[in-house]
Amino acid sequence: MDRCVVLVDAGYLLGAAASLLAGEPARSRITVDHASLIRQLRERAEADTEKPLLRIYWFDGAPDRVPQPEHRRLRVMSRVTVRLGALTRSDGRWAQKGVDAAMHAELTELARNRACSDIVLVTGDGDLLPGLMSAKEHGVAVHLWAVQAADGDYNQSEDLVAEADERRVLDRSWITRAMRAKDIGGPCAPPPVPRPEIAAILSAPLPESAVAAQRAAARREDGRDAAPKTEEAAQEDARTPAPQPARPAADTPAVKVVPTPKDLADLGKGGPLAGTAAAAATAGAAATLRWSSDKGWVDRGGPAGESPETAALPTLAQLTTAEQRWADREEDITAVSGDPFEVGQVFARRWTDRLTGTAHLQNLSTEYPRIPHRIDGELLRYAARFGLLAHKDDQIDEHDRYAIRAGFWREIDLRTAAGHAAVGD
């Protein structure tokens, strides 16, 4: 068949591009416009082989082979097929497993079935040499593409280079049409912008119910709950102030500010709470997960821990039609990056857009910074779609949970402020 196929080793392509543009092979150091990259691969392959494209195969690794946001965007693009191997962590480094074997199998199968006349390989791994040689024996022309090496030397197996029928180099000008280095991490780069929303929520005080739970836990540790409490003793305990957490350092003041949803916007604009952000971030290092409704509180949601109005708040699923659900999935695949803060914002935007009236938002505001249990669980399940799970225990990383919920509250605050402005007009 007079068609061409492109097999892309994403680890090689993006890692080599990161080395070229950012000085190190970490893919997190670059941003990629995947739609532009796929378009460039197709145009270049058809120009080099003078054959129409059959398909682009994108080979990559993912933890537990769970598609990440970039994989979900790629696999719905025209003429793109994503094949995932495992991504494992060993000695502090990530390594792909099964990607080379999958590329080798696809290469030999395409050649054996005469599915194409030309195969473009974007890889540097010498393990593909037997597959390359097998493809040639079946009459397929093999084109090997390299990414321009940062040090000017080869970044491909010399055996692959020697056996390929044609070799091309994707130079810096070609790479930078779809990729660029992030302005982070370098010694001259500005420090990362703090997210005061997270610092504010970390500094939020424990609710009364959680304070009571702390006291009960302290009594159990001291053995003081061996006998039932008398009414007088219970009243005395209620009058006793809760023990204060240890201050992180002598020169670090304890954060006393109680933030409200409006304070989130003020923090981002240099408002009255902006001066506490640094102290809140410092205190956050020793903070426990005090605003999560999935752990950390004894009365975790339900009628015992929430008002009837809060418990009755509708979930996003209850507010979403079948047509909206389909549109949501399309947006998730094509437009949502998977950043935890953004995920929280997207969820909150959809939820507030589909509410009727403002009473629900007012009820929600009284719970700040705690998200009602049913809605919080739905929010975390939504976030899990974006590969935000810590795969060792199928839980979302603690810092990501903070960021997800901070994004949720930021969007709620923006919507509430917009509603107040509309009423004022």
Side-chain angles (χ1 to χ4, degrees), residues 199-207 210 214 244-246 255 257 280 283-284 286-293 295-297 369-371 398 402 405:
I201 291 171
L202 282 171
S203 68
L206 289 167
Q214 279 190 344
Q244 296 297 319
V255 178
V257 177
T288 58
L289 188 58
R290 52 170 75 169
W291 67 303
S292 163
S293 58
K295 76 172 190 178
W297 284 357
R370 184 188 190 186
I371 301 176
E398 182 178 55
Y402 281 128
R405 292 176 175 121

Side-chain angles (χ1 to χ4, degrees), residues 212-253:
Q214 279 190 344
R215 292 173 181 162
R219 287 196 298 270
R220 284 194 296 271
E221 291 177 3
D222 295 341
R224 287 185 283 165
D225 272 359
K229 292 287 183 181
T230 65
E231 183 176 351
E232 292 77 12
Q235 292 175 354
E236 179 62 27
D237 283 345
R239 290 192 297 268
T240 303
Q244 296 297 319
R247 289 168 60 160
D251 57 348
T252 303

Side-chain angles (χ1 to χ4, degrees), residues 111 114 116-118 134-141:
R114 301 185 183 278
C116 57
S117 59
D118 295 73
S134 175
K136 290 174 62 177
E137 291 171 359
H138 283 90
V140 173

Side-chain angles (χ1 to χ4, degrees), residues 1-233:
M1 298 289 289
D2 290 336
R3 301 179 294 190
C4 68
V5 170
V6 181
L7 305 184
V8 180
D9 179 351
Y12 166 77
L13 173 59
L14 302 183
S19 294
L20 178 64
L21 302 180
E24 59 180 274
R27 290 162 55 169
S28 60
R29 294 296 308 277
I30 59 173
T31 57
V32 183
D33 181 344
H34 290 91
S36 176
L37 178 59
I38 293 300
R39 183 173 60 254
Q40 289 179 219
L41 288 169
R42 178 173 187 164
E43 293 173 353
R44 180 69 177 263
E46 291 181 337
D48 281 5
T49 64
E50 299 181 347
K51 303 291 193 304
L53 177 77
L54 171 62
R55 190 173 297 116
I56 295 175
Y57 288 90
W58 185 274
F59 296 88
D60 203 1
D64 296 339
R65 292 185 168 86
V66 176
Q68 302 299 292
E70 65 181 271
H71 303 139
R72 302 218 310 275
R73 287 194 292 273
L74 284 164
R75 65 185 183 181
V76 297
M77 293 181 185
S78 177
R79 302 294 180 117
V80 177
T81 296
V82 175
R83 297 279 188 261
L84 294 180
L87 190 64
T88 59
R89 192 172 182 85
S90 178
D91 297 328
R93 299 183 64 183
W94 289 100
Q96 294 181 349
K97 300 292 184 183
V99 174
D100 297 339
M103 288 191 70
H104 180 276
E106 199 70 56
L107 174 60
T108 55
E109 193 71 12
L110 288 168
R112 185 182 299 115
N113 292 328
R114 301 185 183 278
C116 57
S117 59
D118 295 73
I119 292 179
V120 175
L121 282 178
V122 186
T123 186
D125 197 333
D127 290 344
L128 285 176
L129 181 61
L132 185 153
M133 296 174 67
S134 175
K136 290 174 62 177
E137 291 171 359
H138 283 90
V140 173
V142 180
H143 306 251
L144 184 65
W145 289 1
V147 176
Q148 179 181 339
D151 56 5
D153 201 356
Y154 277 4
N155 54 14
Q156 290 178 304
S157 161
E158 292 188 18
D159 290 333
L160 278 183
V161 174
E163 284 291 335
D165 295 306
E166 301 283 348
R167 184 175 184 262
R168 297 286 186 270
V169 176
L170 306 177
D171 59 18
R172 180 185 289 270
S173 64
W174 191 94
I175 293 293
T176 52
R177 277 185 262 164
M179 307 181 216
R180 64 179 178 82
K182 293 180 181 178
D183 297 328
I184 59 173
C188 298
V193 177
R195 282 193 168 150
E197 302 91 346
I198 300 176
I201 291 171
L202 282 171
S203 68
L206 289 167
E208 289 300 321
S209 57
V211 171
Q214 279 190 344
R215 292 173 181 162
R219 287 196 298 270
R220 284 194 296 271
E221 291 177 3
D222 295 341
R224 287 185 283 165
D225 272 359
K229 292 287 183 181
T230 65
E231 183 176 351
E232 292 77 12

Side-chain angles (χ1 to χ4, degrees), residues 318-337:
Q318 293 170 332
L319 299 169
T320 302
T321 65
E323 292 80 5
Q324 288 171 327
R325 187 173 297 108
W326 184 88
D328 290 347
R329 293 301 297 230
E330 284 288 305
E331 182 184 17
D332 290 343
I333 292 170
T334 59
V336 182
S337 70

